[in-house]
Amino acid sequence: MIWPSDSIHLRRAAQQLSKGELLGVPTETVYGLAADAQNGEAVAKIYETKGRPHFNPLIVHVETIEAARQLAKVNEQAERLAAAFWPGPLTFVLPLLDTAPLASLVTAGLPTVALRSPAHEVSRALLRAFGRPFVAPSANRSGRISPTTADHVHEEFGGQLPVLDGGPCEIGLESTIIGLVGPAPVLLRLGSITSGEIEDVLGFPLSAPDNKVCAPGMMSSHYAPQNHLRLQADDVQGEEVLLGFGGTKGATLDLSPSGDLREAAVHLFAYLRELDKYNRPIAVASVPKTGLGLAINDRLTRAAAPRH
Ligand code: TXA
Ligand code: MG
């Protein structure tokens, strides 16, 4: 079921969460699969529904920084970054408070918690209607392409659960994750906010993302289509369909004919899904490795990685 995001359905959506049921929710990055963060059984349903092999920690979505302070030790760097980027596509990993009312499955037993305040009006309205935080990993089957429309979520789960329709996601890539638990901030996942933007606020350079970090968004095979993906393609080989960038000749779809990285991010997951329907190998033209292009290349590399 796809629900319009009117006040009746927002109330129904909040009730769905209160009952311990799951719900597809739009955010500005990708659609999430939401559950009550206090309800362990509801959180367990997320793992079951996504087919996630491990109990990996989830992102808790909060309306405000005050709500974040109830859950985690929000340090000075987090305060500054939140003032600059919240609500928005930036997630903090922070020390968990003993008093935080969260199911332990949310953090997979870790002493830290990931928090983000989404900017999308519908997710914010749901946070207000529900009155407490919800967890929301991307609403795709484990390892598969993240959803950027309500239809994608519907296709992914065969209509088993309601999805609030908030239109196509404005950004199309998951949030940037920054770890603020050690002596220095660490970039844990590349995302739509670039390290340069974060460094401008912090006033010092970030350490590079550490590929050894064990987080599902950092698993080598992730975001994968069903069909084989070949990167840095400048032509079509055999049966391939071609995902272009910046006006690639012969492209079946072009991420951004004008070479705009923001537009390319918005289209990335939707176009991979679209091309996957041809049931042919997919070739992808190269995308510049600068700014937002770093996060786009990160997702493409994982989508092309050998499967487990
Ligand atoms: O944009 C987004 O962040 C989307 C939307 C729906 O908000 N959500 C999302 O969630 O991408 P998910 O579950 O697909 O990715 C969460 C990432 C995982 O890589 C997880 O390992 C990491 O956050 N994570 C969560 N808690 C963590 C923690 N305590 N320490 C380190 N990594 C953590
Ligand atoms: Mg995901």
Side-chain angles (χ1 to χ4, degrees):
M1 297 149 280
I2 296 182
W3 289 355
S5 47
D6 54 26
S7 55
I8 293 175
H9 287 90
L10 276 165
R11 219 170 313 133
R12 213 171 274 174
Q15 284 163 1
Q16 178 88 355
L17 294 177
S18 303
K19 282 190 296 184
E21 300 296 337
L22 306 187
L23 179 79
V25 178
T27 83
E28 71 280 21
T29 58
V30 298
Y31 273 68
L33 186 61
D36 180 356
Q38 297 188 6
N39 182 335
E41 280 174 38
V43 178
K45 272 188 207 162
I46 287 187
Y47 291 102
E48 200 186 317
T49 306
K50 279 182 67 90
R52 245 190 202 186
H54 316 289
F55 284 161
N56 288 310
L58 301 172
I59 299 177
V60 179
H61 294 64
V62 292
E63 194 196 347
T64 59
I65 186 81
E66 288 77 26
R69 293 191 198 107
Q70 307 299 309
L71 305 175
K73 190 167 166 278
V74 179
N75 59 23
E76 198 244 315
Q77 286 165 340
E79 292 280 356
R80 269 171 46 212
L81 290 168
F85 298 112
W86 273 18
L90 183 63
T91 296
F92 302 126
V93 173
L94 294 166
L96 176 69
L97 292 181
D98 290 341
T99 50
L102 292 176
S104 59
L105 211 45
V106 169
T107 56
L110 293 172
T112 56
V113 63
L115 299 175
R116 139 168 150 82
S117 182
H120 195 294
E121 259 324 304
V122 175
S123 38
R124 300 193 68 71
L126 180 61
L127 282 167
R128 282 192 296 274
F130 183 47
R132 53 180 195 269
F134 59 74
V135 284
S138 49
N140 51 275
R141 293 191 183 276
S142 186
R144 297 297 177 190
I145 307 169
S146 302
T148 56
T149 66
D151 277 336
H152 292 163
V153 183
H154 188 76
E155 279 169 28
E156 200 70 22
F157 298 112
Q160 303 168 41
L161 44 92
V163 188
L164 270 178
D165 192 354
C169 297
E170 240 174 78
I171 293 174
L173 285 181
E174 294 80 357
S175 60
T176 303
I177 305 183
I178 179 147
L180 295 168
V181 287
V186 185
L187 190 57
L188 294 175
R189 179 172 73 183
L190 290 163
S192 49
I193 292 181
T194 62
S195 49
E197 290 173 289
I198 294 172
E199 286 165 354
D200 284 347
V201 172
L202 288 176
F204 56 85
L206 279 173
S207 25
D210 178 353
N211 278 323
K212 284 181 241 99
V213 170
C214 185
M218 307 304 274
M219 281 195 313
S220 50
S221 174
H222 207 84
Y223 314 106
Q226 311 276 354
N227 294 286
H228 182 265
L229 202 68
R230 183 171 67 88
L231 302 183
Q232 320 286 356
D234 38 31
D235 58 355
V236 174
Q237 295 176 4
E239 292 270 87
E240 284 174 345
V241 284
L242 177 63
L243 181 59
F245 175 81
T248 310
K249 241 179 71 207
T252 320
L253 289 173
D254 196 312
L255 288 169
S256 168
S258 66
D260 175 347
L261 288 168
R262 285 209 172 270
E263 186 186 11
V266 169
H267 290 151
L268 179 67
F269 291 137
Y271 284 7
L272 281 175
R273 262 171 201 276
E274 203 54 43
L275 292 179
D276 214 17
K277 291 184 181 155
Y278 287 80
N279 268 324
R280 281 153 58 176
I282 304 167
V284 187
S286 45
V287 174
K289 293 187 174 131
T290 53
L292 201 51
L294 289 170
I296 295 173
N297 276 286
D298 169 76
R299 301 305 189 274
L300 283 170
T301 306
R302 293 176 209 285
R307 318 287 159 82
H308 302 293

